Amino acid sequence: ERVAKRPRLTGTVRYAVEGSDGDLLDETVREMERVGRQLGDRYRVAELVQAACDPGQQGGRLAELLLQRCFKLAAEEYDALATLDREIETLRGGSDTPLE
């Protein structure tokens, strides 16, 4: 259920960023962080929040990949994680460090 909230919250963040709605953005980011604390670090919540807040196409694509990763992790489809992680790293420019 917590993982299922992520796409809706991510979409709301993207909407708030594109519409320059700071109040909605702040409220939704706080909700994403709250839900993320319940999920744990392996879901890479901070990276998802940062990607969702990036107004560019790369931020949208990165958020999409991170969401897919959350669902694969929740479904215990660990074989798919390596492929997604490679795509995420490629999109971020090959960096080995998480988004900050």
Side-chain angles (χ1 to χ4, degrees), residues 10-28:
T10 302
T12 302
V13 167
R14 300 289 296 166
Y15 176 80
V17 167
E18 291 171 9
S20 300
D21 187 336
D23 291 337
L24 180 60
L25 177 62
D26 292 343
E27 177 184 330
T28 308

Side-chain angles (χ1 to χ4, degrees), residues 1-97:
E1 181 182 328
R2 291 179 198 131
V3 172
K5 285 184 176 182
R6 301 205 111 1
R8 180 184 56 80
L9 292 171
T10 302
T12 302
V13 167
R14 300 289 296 166
Y15 176 80
V17 167
E18 291 171 9
S20 300
D21 187 336
D23 291 337
L24 180 60
L25 177 62
D26 292 343
E27 177 184 330
T28 308
V29 165
R30 279 193 302 274
E31 176 68 9
M32 285 181 80
E33 290 169 343
R34 186 187 66 74
V35 171
R37 281 191 295 276
Q38 297 170 353
L39 290 173
D41 291 339
R42 64 188 181 149
Y43 285 88
R44 299 164 85 174
V45 174
E47 291 179 58
L48 177 57
V49 169
Q50 185 176 4
C53 289
D54 180 344
Q57 287 182 339
Q58 182 172 337
R61 177 65 180 143
L62 186 54
E64 179 183 322
L65 290 171
L66 287 163
L67 282 172
Q68 288 177 25
R69 188 180 188 286
C70 287
F71 281 108
K72 297 295 184 188
L73 192 57
E76 298 180 357
E77 294 178 20
Y78 301 116
D79 293 343
L81 291 179
T83 301
L84 283 170
D85 285 341
R86 279 192 302 276
E87 288 183 60
I88 289 166
E89 293 307 316
T90 299
L91 189 59
R92 287 158 75 213
S95 171
D96 290 336
T97 57

